[in-house]
């Protein structure tokens, strides 16, 4: 992965991310090489459900998959802290609730950001956040237009998919429906775990982001419209039952 653009002419960029997991880490590391990464907006949830509530709603299989993914990230140190980012000379802000949206949008305008990259961000982006930049893309861990929504890897495992992927698409006000600018895929791992899929997908990130940045710099960025696809919400027992019933009926 190379970038011939001189440092002073690099795209001014902001990364919006949860800041943990191999895909987010690879995105952060790659953007530091490719662009002028001016700020990182870290998403946080204001509250979490008790474990027993999650087990009742989602089941032990789901809790096992997500817990193993979290533990794997901790063991592999797949997390960037606010202090680590600021030591690199990069501005940060935490977005945990609706009130933080205005502050984030103001920071993007202040830093004159031309490119916004979202990866594992926990808040839906609206026009005030999108508009400051010329380009706004999201890294979605599925082969769009299939598996739009919050947990595509888990759904892919539940549906016994043979392939998983990452799609870089434009962000608009519709969830995961913007034009596709880059896409890559991997085969289902022998060990069918969310943590393993995430790690495999993370290896696609440098080339995919490199292609997008290179195409922008060369003025040859191509966009592909998404066709009809699927949107799947959080994989609770109720949503899984509903999905299976609809699939059977169709």
């Amino acid at each position: 992965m190379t970038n011939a653009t001189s440092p002073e002419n690099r795209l001014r960029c902001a990364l919006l991310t949860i800041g943990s997991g191999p895909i987010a880490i690879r995105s952060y590391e790659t953007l530091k090489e490719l662009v002028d990464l001016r700020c990182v907006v870290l998403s946080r949830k204001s509250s979490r459900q008790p474990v027993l509530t999650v087990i009742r709603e989602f089941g032990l299989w789901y809790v096992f998959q997500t817990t193993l993914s979290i533990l794997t990230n901790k063991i592999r140190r797949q997390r960037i802290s606010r202090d680590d980012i600021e030591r690199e000379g990069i501005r940060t802000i935490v977005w945990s609730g609706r009130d933080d949206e205005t502050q984030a949008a103001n920071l993007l305008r202040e830093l004159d950001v031309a490119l916004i990259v979202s990866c594992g961000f926990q808040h839906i982006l609206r026009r005030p956040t999108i508009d400051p930049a010329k380009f706004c893309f999201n890294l979605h861990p599925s082969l769009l237009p299939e598996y739009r929504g919050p947990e595509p890897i888990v759904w892919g495992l539940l549906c016994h998919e043979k392939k998983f992927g990452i799609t870089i698409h434009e962000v608009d006000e519709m969830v995961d429906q913007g034009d596709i600018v880059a896409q890559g895929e991997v085969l289902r791992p022998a060990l069918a775990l969310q943590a393993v899929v995430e790690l495999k997908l993370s290896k696609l990130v440098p080339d995919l982001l490199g292609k997008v940045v290179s195409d922008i710099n060369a003025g040859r960025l191509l966009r592909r419209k998404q066709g009809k696809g699927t949107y799947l919400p959080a994989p609770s027992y109720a949503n899984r039952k509903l999905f299976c019933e609809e699939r059977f009926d169709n």
Side-chain angles (χ1 to χ4, degrees), residues 223-243:
R223 298 167 171 84
R224 172 165 58 88
K225 294 288 184 185
Q226 292 192 40
K228 183 179 180 181
T230 55
Y231 174 88
L232 292 171
S236 64
Y237 275 138
N239 289 332
R240 281 144 66 178
K241 183 176 183 292
L242 180 62
F243 174 70

Side-chain angles (χ1 to χ4, degrees), residues 147-151 155 159 230-234 243:
Y147 296 104
R148 297 176 180 133
E151 298 200 55
W155 276 110
C159 294
T230 55
Y231 174 88
L232 292 171
F243 174 70

Side-chain angles (χ1 to χ4, degrees), residues 23-211:
I23 297 173
I25 297 299
R26 280 293 182 99
S27 298
Y28 173 67
E29 292 173 346
T30 301
L31 288 173
K32 284 196 299 178
E33 293 182 22
L34 292 175
V35 297
D36 177 7
L37 185 57
R38 296 199 164 193
C39 75
V40 176
V41 181
L42 295 166
S43 66
R44 298 288 182 264
K45 288 185 177 180
S46 54
S47 62
R48 294 186 178 183
Q49 291 181 310
V51 174
L52 288 178
T53 301
V54 177
I55 292 174
R56 283 195 296 268
E57 187 176 351
F58 291 85
L60 284 172
W61 179 87
Y62 173 87
V63 172
F64 167 76
Q65 289 281 353
T66 54
T67 301
L68 183 61
S69 181
I70 292 169
L71 289 175
T72 301
N73 292 340
K74 287 184 177 179
I75 292 169
R76 295 176 61 89
R77 297 183 180 177
Q78 297 285 339
R79 183 177 181 85
I80 44 174
S81 72
R82 196 171 184 181
D83 289 341
D84 292 337
I85 298 167
E86 292 181 346
R87 272 193 289 270
E88 299 272 0
I90 300 168
R91 297 275 295 276
T92 65
I93 189 171
V94 174
W95 181 340
S96 60
R98 190 67 175 268
D99 293 342
D100 298 321
E101 182 179 16
T102 300
Q103 295 182 51
N106 288 341
L107 180 61
L108 297 179
R109 292 183 187 279
E110 176 191 336
L111 297 176
D112 195 21
V113 166
L115 169 65
I116 296 171
V117 176
S118 171
C119 175
F121 203 63
Q122 297 170 303
H123 306 282
I124 294 175
L125 303 184
R126 301 186 306 153
R127 293 255 63 101
T129 308
I130 299 170
D131 286 346
K134 184 176 181 181
F135 302 98
C136 185
F137 300 120
N138 178 50
L139 275 73
H140 184 75
S142 85
L143 294 170
L144 289 174
E146 300 304 322
Y147 296 104
R148 297 176 180 133
E151 298 200 55
I153 294 175
V154 171
W155 276 110
L157 291 170
L158 285 167
C159 294
H160 305 288
E161 291 290 350
K162 294 181 179 179
K163 294 180 181 179
F164 293 80
I166 287 185
T167 302
I168 301 181
H169 66 93
E170 286 192 307
V171 176
D172 55 25
E173 292 183 309
M174 304 295 289
V175 177
D176 301 329
Q177 294 188 41
D179 293 350
I180 294 170
V181 295
Q183 195 169 60
E185 65 180 40
V186 298
L187 295 176
R188 180 187 183 93
L191 195 58
L193 297 172
Q194 179 182 355
V196 178
V197 175
E198 289 172 343
L199 184 59
K200 290 191 71 173
L201 290 177
S202 72
K203 296 176 182 178
L204 301 176
V205 169
D207 285 343
L208 292 176
L209 279 176
K211 178 184 183 302

